[in-house]
Each structure stands twice: as structure tokens, then as C-alpha cells.
């Protein structure tokens, strides 16, 4: 459509291609460097000139996963992320659908209110959350952190999904209503299948937020529910011999989410194209 | 209103019920605390009305951190938007290989922020950080990335851009995919230059996406914390002390929770006003995309 | 469609099951003693001793950076939650926690187990450091002091002795400073690192932080001179020193990028570790020139809100602080027990002990007030403004003093 259809523009395309290659490489240096650091002894990690050629060792990767309970923390992270996604996206989609079907003058203020919640500095919610958790005797349990993450994630999910549902013509649900469908049936049978790309996007962003969240995870979890980001931060302490470990842990923490990204990448672009950004 | 819409409020129930239970309470509690002199250590709180607000608004530190925040926020959103848009256009032109690039370019965004900050510190640390070590090898004297008041701001802006440009890129790339190609072709046939096509065809069509992504970024950049905290800790001096860093110092270091909450409310009001103005401005400039 | 629905249902079922099982499992595991601590080699060692002191599974330890640990502890304890049982505290945070009523006094247990664990072995100064308002609140675990690290090969080449005064130190830093090597390390990252560095200058050149009535005196003529000297010294510091904390300074020494400077005792062993260091055997130590560098006594305390058995916790801490345990722990940190510290073998085993003993004599602890961390937050901010040229030294210190006085007044110091 765009490039190939205009002959003589091949060269520009090549220039763009090469420029992108260079940019991507520079952009990824921090990651590449971290991978190299994770394969080095600390002595070689910080030198002038930078040590590029060295004998790689996997011992820090092995140590992180075998001696530091990282598998356990990964499980915690996965449970908490899955919990958050599976509560946040359905709940948010329902609300967003309703929001897209009520008159705009009522929907507007609700959306603004949701924004407001999002803008409040999250760190100030940490103390109230903790007080609440203590009161309910739920500190160091999965549901507490999941609920907290769902709550701070709701405004964004609703906002995102609202955009999708606006793109789906109202005539469709009205036709369903005329056919005798209830609200719920109309939503489930007619609307939901159309909103799937959007839900994938919402799920991906919920996943990113819940998998990567640090402050609430630090404060609301404990021995039993500690997540990967908290575990990895515990190495950032005094001793530089743990920096190779940090790097190894950091790479490890990225892998699952990179995998998910690779699987969902296509859906991400398609989903975003389908309407989220038109709200 | 059609009859079937009546039961619609039930759809709000799970989400808003949850928000009311889990979020509204902590939020109101935080706002409530902002009217108290509350030092977490003593456990006592005294109602002082707007005392915290008056205190904050009359001290130089707040205005200083506000200025720093605005510089850093606008700096990073500008970089993110320009670079992100350029990347999105480049990807749009590329077709086939775009997928590989978009995956690779998106990577920095999915790195856990705490970890991203660590990675960037290993790049920017003076002398033995990767950037310095490389430059020093070639006998180039690099600037003091994190230690010089001006460079520290630049570094922090670039750090934020490293993490969030991919998001901007992805949203705009997706929006470009949804572009009506007949418009582009019409422009080409009319012999419009690339720049004119961009300005008069592409950008107007992208306005909703641009508003979306700029709003999202502005909202979040004001809460921007992990990266600054790890890279500079707000320093040198107060060169990179943003409102969030200040909030953290007040709430978590000095345990002055009442004052910190008041600062949170002030932040919220400032950001809300800012967003409103910007959205209005953008909408007006292009006679409002599709709404 | 039905297919898809049943998948969703299965997923939902699985999530619910996971959630339920997680509640159940956490309820069972709750009775272990939860210890949280800052992560550094000495504390890794001593927390391991705690784990070993009780039957397996009784103790769970979480190590994290000090700032995160204090955040977590402050929030937990202000909510009077029993989520934390035992925690590591350094001297300044110890006083704050004790004065907030967040710690459990242990005098009765101290008396009861005095003989069994030979607790009289701790010198009075150490016991004072873990006491507040006449009550003992913590088990002393390590004494930490700042040492003056220097490259003996470079000093020998230059034909000079290690500096004994600040003037000598500065002259030497100027002499050794070159394009490739900084004259001295300086750790001025806010808050903790910068506060330690400033503490040294304020004591060695200035008159200290406060007068007897907690009125700030760090902005008097001597104090201004101290910070002016600190600013001048930063000419010879590695680039980026305003963002440097202990880690960065340690690396600069280890990589041969700086010739000397102030650093903690606990970093000394790392200089001789060939896995990390390029200057093995080339670093030597003396007490910091001019004296007055920081000395700190750190320990473990029991939370006032813990629901675990306090006697069991006390024994766990006492085991970790036993003579045998400290004998081995001496590698990582200075043991507070006299019998261990005065053991002549230590100096042979660990080259830095003679310097450490001297530093202990000439050093100074932080002012004994619960709010010194907060004071430090104010002071370091203004000192850094002075160092980076954002403000004049006098002006910055005056402002710091005014803010400090306001803070202390609000905390009831001058009533």
C-alpha cells in the first residue's frame, strides 16, 4: 500500500531500514549490556575499557534460580498477575460497555473521576492499603495484593475498553434487544466477540502493571507471597558481588513477560488499531 | 432511553463496587489525612484544616520541585512524542520487517521499572558505567551524566524516554494502521510533499490517538518515581527533585503523612488542570479529530 | 462459542482455586518468626546465624536495601501490625523506632540470660547505644566505623605518609589527582552517604551538629569552613560523586579509579577479594584524618507488636550474637564483644583491624536524637546545593539550620 506502490521510493525505504537498525541497536544497549553483565564476574563488570571479551559464566543465573527461591517468587508473580488480569479485564469491560451505552453527558464526568483517581500519586495509597490489609488480617495474602492492583488498574482498563465499545455501533445491541435479548445476552453474544482484540490489549497492559508493580508488592506481601520485582530489589544492596546476581535475576524476570509479548504482539497492534486509541 | 438500557447499571456493579471498596476508601483516607498534622511516628493527629496546604504553598521547595517536575515532564513527553512518532512513521513505511522492529523496540517498555532503572544506572554511572567507560577508552571526556545539575535532568529525561517511547510508538503505529489509505493516495496524486501530507492528512487523522497518548504520558510522568529515585535520588542537591520525590521524602522518609497527602492532592489538581488545558488546546488546534 | 465459554470458565475456576489455596497455605505458615534486615555481607552472615539458631522453618529472613526495609518497617509498625517480628536497625533509625514506641524492651530477658550468653562482654558504650530512655531495646550485632582507605603503593611512590589532618588529606588529594585517577572518593548521594561524609567534616573541622540544647551550630563559622573544605575537596573527587553512595565509591577504589578516601569498615574485605578487585593487597587503612568520622552500633530489635514468643526471639538473637558467632563474623564487621574485639589474632587475620580500633577511638556517633535521619534529610539537601554551586555555603547552611530548628520545634525539642 504505502511503500511499494510508489516506485523510486525504494531508496528511502532502505535508508529508513538502516536508520531503524542503528536506532534499535543503540536503544537496546542497556539490555545487551545487562545480559553481558549477568555472564561476567563482578571484577570484569565495571572496567575501563568495558570488557567485551571474557569467559562467560552461567553461575549467576544458576545461583539466582536455584539458591534464591526465584522459582517460588515467579509462581507468586504469575498467580498475582493472572488474578489481576482475570478480575480487572472482565470487570473493567463490563463497566466500560455500560459507560459507552449511556448518554455522553453522564459518561463524561464518570470518566473524569476515573482519571482523577489515576492521577493521585500511588505511593500515598500504600499506607491506607496497608492499614486496610491489617484490619482485614490479609497482609501477605494473594487476594489483598490482587485487589489493590485491580483497583489501581481499573481506571486505565475502563478507559481503554470504553474506546473499543464506542467503536461498536449501538444499532447492534438495539437489534439484539429487538430480537428479545436481555442486556446481558446482547453483551455476551453480540458485543463481546467484537471486543476481543480490545480485551487482549487491556489484558496485556494489566499484565504489565501487575507483573512489574513494586511498591504495593513490597508493602503488602511478605514471606509467602513475595513477587519477583521485590525479590530482585533485595539484591540492590551494599555488596557489589551481588550485582552479577542482580543482572542475572533481572534478565530472568524479563523472560516470561517477553515471551507473552512475543505471543501477543500481533494482537497488540491489531487491538490498538481496532479502537482503543480513538476514544 | 430504550427499555433495555435500564438494567445497564448492573454492568457497573463489579467494577465500581470494587473501586468503592478497595480504592475509594484509601483515597478518601489520604485526602482526609491531608487536613491533619500527622507524624506517623507519634501516631497522634491534630486537625489543622488547610494548614498543610498553606505550609506547602508558601515554601520555596514545593515551587522548586514543581518547576523541576514540569521541565522533566514536558521534556520527556516531548522526546517521547517526537521519537515515538518518527518511529511509528518509519515502521509504517517498512511493512514486512516492521514486525521484528516493533517487537525489539517495545522491549524497554516491558522491563520492570526497578530493573530498568538499574540497567540505566549501569549505563550512566560515571567512570565505570558503560557509556563513560566506552568514551574514556577513546579519550573523550564525557559529561557528568548524573552529577551535574543540568546533565542530571537530561539523563533523567532520556531514561524516562527510554522506557516510554515504545508505548507512544506502539499507539501511534496502531493508529497509522487504521488510517484511511485512500486519503494518502489522494494526497500523493495531488502532488503534495511528504511534509504536507504529514501535516495536513496524517496528523489530523491521528489527533485522537495523539491526545490519548499525550494525556496518558503526562498523567504518568508526574508520578514518575522509580527511575529518578535509583538514578539520582533527586540530586545533585535538588536538581532532579520532582514533586513525587518530594512526596516520597515527606511521606516515607520524614513520615509526615499529613503533609505528604496534601502534596498529593496539590499534584492531582495541577495535573488535572494541565491536562484539561492541553486537551482543549490540541482539540482546538485541529478542530477536534472526530469529536 | 460454547467451547470458548467453557475455557473461560475453566480458567476462572483455576484462578479461584489458586486464590483459595493461597489463603489456606498462608494461614498455616504464619507462625514462623519473620526477620527483616538490610542486605550486606555482615548481616547476611548474622541473619544466617539466626536461622541456624532455631529449628528449621522457624525463622524466615528477608534481606533488602536499607531504605526499603525502613519504609516497610515504618508502615507496618505505625499500623501496629504484627507482620514483622524482628528487624535490623542502625543507630539513628533505632532511636526513632524506640521513641515511637515501636520496639519491645528486653531488659528482663537481658538480665535472665546475662550469664548464659555472657552479655557482660558487651562494653557499656555499646549497651548505651542500644538503649533508649534507660531501657535496652536491641541486641548489638556489629560495630561499624568509617576508615580512611588509601593506596599504599601510590603513597610510597609519592614518598608521603598517610594523612593525619584534613589539611594533609587535601594536599595529598590534590597531589594524586590526575585525569585517570581521582584524588579521593567522596560519597555524596543523598541522604545516607552524603550525611556520613558531612558528619566527618562537621566534626573534624566544624564544632559538630548541635549545642547542648539541640540548637543547630553546624552553620557557625567553623561549620561553614567545614563545608567549604568539603566543597573544595570535591575538585579531586571522581566525576559523578554527587550520585555516589558506598557501592560506587567501593567500585572506584577496587577498579583503581581513586587513590583514597572515607569508606566503611565493612567494605575493607572487598578490597582484597580478587573476584571483584583490581587492587588486591594495595589498599591500606588508617583512622580518618582529623577524627570524628562516623561510628555506629547496629543491632536487632523485637517489634512491640510481634505476636511471636519473645523469649524464643531473644534467644535467637543472642545465639547470633554469641562469642563463637562473632568470632567468625569478625571477617565482615567489627564485633561489639570486647573478648572478640581485643583478640590479638584478629589483626593478623584481617589487616584493617588496627586502623579500625584507632577509628573507634577518634570517631563519633550521630547525635543521640530520634529525629537525626530527618535532620540529615534537610542538611544533606542544602549541603549539596552548596557543593553544586546552587547556593553559597553560608546561605545554604543557614537555611538548613532554620529548617532543622523548625522541624525540631514541631517535634517538641524546645519545650
Amino acid at each position: 500500500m504505502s511503500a511499494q506502490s510508489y516506485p523510486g521510493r525504494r531508496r528511502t525505504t532502505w535508508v529508513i531500514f538502516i536508520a531503524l537498525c542503528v536506532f534499535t541497536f543503540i536503544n537496546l544497549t542497556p539490555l545487551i549490556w545487562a545480559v553481558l553483565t549477568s555472564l561476567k564476574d563482578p571484577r570484569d563488570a565495571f572496567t575501563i575499557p568495558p570488557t567485551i571479551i571474557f569467559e562467560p559464566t552461567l553461575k549467576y543465573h544458576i545461583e539466582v534460580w536455584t539458591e534464591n527461591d526465584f522459582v517460588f517468587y515467579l509462581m507468586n508473580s504469575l498467580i498475582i498477575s493472572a488474578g489481576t488480569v482475570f478480575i480487572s479485564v472482565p470487570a473493567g469491560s463490563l463497566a466500560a460497555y455500560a459507560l459507552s451505552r449511556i448518554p455522553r453527558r453522564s459518561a463524561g464526568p464518570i470518566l473524569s473521576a476515573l482519571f482523577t483517581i489515576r492521577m493521585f500519586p500511588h505511593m500515598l495509597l500504600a499506607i491506607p492499603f496497608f492499614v486496610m490489609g491489617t484490619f482485614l488480617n490479609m497482609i501477605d495474602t494473594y487476594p489483598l495484593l490482587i485487589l489493590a492492583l485491580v483497583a489501581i488498574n481499573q481506571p486505565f482498563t475502563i478507559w481503554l475498553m470504553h474506546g473499543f465499545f464506542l467503536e461498536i455501533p449501538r444499532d447492534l445491541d438495539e437489534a439484539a434487544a429487538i430480537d428479545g435479548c436481555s442486556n446481558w445476552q446482547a453483551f455476551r453474544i453480540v458485543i463481546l466477540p467484537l471486543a476481543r482484540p480490545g480485551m487482549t490489549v487491556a489484558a496485556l497492559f494489566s499484565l504489565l502493571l501487575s507483573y512489574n508493580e513494586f511498591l504495593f508488592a513490597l508493602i503488602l506481601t511478605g514471606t509467602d507471597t513475595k513477587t519477583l520485582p521485590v525479590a530482585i530489589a533485595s539484591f540492590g544492596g551494599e555488596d557489589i558481588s551481588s550485582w552479577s546476581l542482580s543482572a542475572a535475576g533481572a534478565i530472568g524476570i524479563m523472560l516470561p513477560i517477553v515471551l507473552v509479548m512475543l505471543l501477543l504482539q500481533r494482537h497488540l497492534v491489531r487491538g490498538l488499531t481496532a479502537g482503543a486509541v480513538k476514544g | 432511553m430504550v427499555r433495555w438500557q435500564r438494567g445497564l447499571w448492573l454492568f457497573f456493579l463489579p467494577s465500581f463496587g470494587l473501586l468503592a471498596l478497595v480504592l475509594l476508601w484509601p483515597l478518601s483516607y489520604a485526602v482526609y489525612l491531608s487536613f491533619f498534622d500527622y507524624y506517623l511516628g507519634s501516631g497522634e493527629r491534630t486537625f489543622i484544616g488547610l494548614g498543610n496546604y498553606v505550609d506547602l504553598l508558601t515554601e520555596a521547595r514545593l515551587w522548586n520541585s514543581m518547576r523541576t517536575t514540569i521541565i522533566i515532564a514536558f521534556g520527556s513527553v516531548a522526546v517521547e512524542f517526537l521519537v515515538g512518532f518518527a518511529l511509528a512513521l518509519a515502521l509504517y513505511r517498512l511493512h514486512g520487517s516492521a514486525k521484528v522492529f516493533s517487537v525489539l523496540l517495545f522491549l524497554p517498555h516491558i522491563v520492570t521499572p526497578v530493573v530498568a532503572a538499574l540497567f540505566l544506572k549501569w549505563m550512566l554511572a560515571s567512570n565505570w558505567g558503560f557509556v563513560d567507560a566506552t568514551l574514556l577508552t577513546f579519550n573523550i571526556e564525557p559529561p557528568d551524566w548524573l552529577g551535574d545539575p543540568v546533565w542530571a535532568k537530561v539523563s533523567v529525561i532520556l531514561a524516562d524516554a527510554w522506557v516510554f517511547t515504545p508505548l507512544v510508538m506502539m499507539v501511534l503505529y496502531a493508529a497509522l494502521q487504521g488510517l484511511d489509505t485512500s486519503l494518502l493516495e489522494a494526497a500523493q496524486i495531488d502532488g503534495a510533499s511528504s511534509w504536507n501530507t504529514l501535516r495536513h492528512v496524517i496528523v489530523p487523522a491521528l489527533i485522537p490517538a495523539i491526545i490519548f497518548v499525550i494525556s496518558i504520558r503526562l498523567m504518568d510522568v508526574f508520578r514518575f518515581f522509580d527511575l529518578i529515585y535509583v538514578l539520582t535520588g533527586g540530586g545533585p542537591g535538588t536538581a532532579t527533585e520532582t514533586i513525587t520525590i518530594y512526596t516520597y521524602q515527606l511521606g516515607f522518609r520524614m513520615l509526615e503523612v499529613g503533609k505528604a497527602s496534601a502534596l498529593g492532592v496539590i499534584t492531582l489538581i495541577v495535573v488535572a488542570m494541565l491536562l484539561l488545558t492541553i486537551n482543549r488546546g490540541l482539540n482546538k488546534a485541529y478542530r477536534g479529530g472526530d469529536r | 462459542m460454547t467451547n470458548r465459554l467453557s475455557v473461560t470458565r475453566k480458567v476462572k475456576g483455576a484462578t479461584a482455586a489458586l486464590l483459595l489455596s493461597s489463603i489456606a497455605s498462608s494461614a498455616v505458615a504464619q507462625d514462623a518468626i519473620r526477620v527483616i534486615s538490610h542486605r550486606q555481607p555482615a548481616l547476611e552472615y548474622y541473619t544466617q546465624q539466626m536461622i541456624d539458631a532455631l529449628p528449621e522453618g522457624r525463622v524466615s529472613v528477608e534481606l533488602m536495601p536499607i531504605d526499603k526495609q525502613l519504609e516497610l518497617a515504618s508502615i507496618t509498625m505505625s499500623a501496629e501490625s504484627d507482620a514483622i517480628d524482628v528487624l535490623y536497625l542502625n543507630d539513628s533509625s533505632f532511636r526513632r523506632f524506640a521513641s515511637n514506641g515501636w520496639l519491645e524492651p528486653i531488659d528482663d530477658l537481658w538480665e535472665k540470660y546475662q550469664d548464659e550468653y555472657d552479655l557482660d562482654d558487651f562494653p557499656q558504650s555499646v549497651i548505651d547505644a542500644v538503649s533508649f530512655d534507660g531501657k535496652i531495646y536491641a541486641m548489638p550485632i556489629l560495630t561499624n566505623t568509617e576508615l580512611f582507605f588509601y593506596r599504599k603503593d601510590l603513597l610510597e611512590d609519592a614518598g608521603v605518609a598517610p594523612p593525619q589532618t584534613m589539611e594533609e588529606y587535601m594536599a595529598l588529594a590534590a597531589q594524586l589527582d590526575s585525569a585517570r585517577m581521582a584524588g579521593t572518593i567522596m560519597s555524596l548521594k543523598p541522604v545516607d552517604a552524603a550525611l556520613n561524609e558531612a558528619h566527618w567534616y562537621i566534626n573534624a573541622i566544624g564544632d559538630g551538629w548541635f549545642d547542648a540544647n539541640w540548637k543547630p551550630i553546624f552553620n557557625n563559622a567553623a561549620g561553614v569552613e567545614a563545608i567549604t573544605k568539603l566543597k573544595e575537596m570535591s575538585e579531586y573527587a571522581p566525576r559523578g560523586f554527587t550520585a555516589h553512595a558506598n557501592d560506587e565509591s567501593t567500585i572506584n577504589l577496587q577498579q583503581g579509579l581513586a587513590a583514597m578516601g572515607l569508606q566503611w569498615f565493612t567494605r575493607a574485605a572487598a578490597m582484597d577479594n580478587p573476584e571483584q578487585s583490581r587492587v588486591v593487597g594495595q589498599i591500606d587503612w588508617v583512622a580518618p584524618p582529623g577524627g570524628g568520622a562516623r561510628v555506629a552500633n547496629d543491632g536487632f530489635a523485637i517489634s512491640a507488636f510481634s505476636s511471636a514468643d519473645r523469649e524464643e526471639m531473644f534467644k535467637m538473637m543472642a545465639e547470633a550474637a554469641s562469642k563463637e558467632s562473632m568470632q567468625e563474623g569478625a571477617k565482615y564487621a567489627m564485633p561489639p564483644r570486647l573478648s572478640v574485639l581485643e583478640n590479638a589474632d584478629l589483626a593478623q587475620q584481617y589487616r584493617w583491624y588496627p586502623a579500625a580500633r584507632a577509628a573507634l577511638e577518634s570517631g563519633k556517633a550521630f547525635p543521640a536524637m530520634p529525629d537525626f535521619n530527618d535532620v540529615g534529610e534537610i542538611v544533606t539537601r542544602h549541603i549539596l546545593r552548596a557543593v553544586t554551586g546552587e547556593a553559597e555555603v553560608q546561605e545554604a547552611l543557614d537555611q538548613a539550620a532554620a529548617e532543622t530548628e523548625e522541624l525540631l520545634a514541631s517535634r517538641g525539642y524546645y519545650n
Side-chain angles (χ1 to χ4, degrees), chain C residues 136-156:
Chain C
I136 303 176
Y137 284 97
M139 177 63 68
I141 209 82
L142 57 94
T143 304
N144 207 351
T145 171
E146 302 234 47
L147 300 180
F148 189 77
F149 290 48
Y150 67 92
R151 285 279 296 274
K152 66 178 167 202
D153 52 333
L154 297 178
L155 263 66
E156 271 163 24

Side-chain angles (χ1 to χ4, degrees), chain C residues 300-317:
Chain C
F300 281 88
I302 298 175
S303 157
F305 312 105
S306 165
S307 45
D309 180 49
R310 57 195 288 270
E311 200 147 344
E312 190 184 15
M313 291 189 278
F314 183 86
K315 279 157 87 174
M316 170 190 83
M317 300 192 304

Side-chain angles (χ1 to χ4, degrees), chain B residues 61 126 132 144 229 248 256, chain C residues 67 71 239-240 381 411:
Chain B
R61 190 171 177 193
S126 56
D132 270 21
D144 193 347
Y229 183 71
Y248 172 82
E256 298 284 357
Chain C
D67 49 345
E71 261 164 51
R239 289 172 322 100
R381 183 159 40 87
R411 301 267 166 94

Side-chain angles (χ1 to χ4, degrees), chain C residues 7 9 21 81 84 128 131 148 151 160 207 245 249 258 268 271 315 339 355 381 389:
Chain C
V7 170
R9 218 167 269 157
S21 67
S81 155
I84 295 169
D128 287 346
S131 302
F148 189 77
R151 285 279 296 274
V160 284
D207 300 329
S249 291
M271 297 297 138
K315 279 157 87 174
S339 63
R381 183 159 40 87

Side-chain angles (χ1 to χ4, degrees), chain B residues 227-235 237 240-241 245 249, chain C residues 189-191:
Chain B
L227 290 171
I228 301 191
Y229 183 71
V230 175
L231 287 176
T232 65
T240 54
E241 184 179 85
I245 294 274
Q249 299 282 11
Chain C
K189 182 171 182 180
V191 175

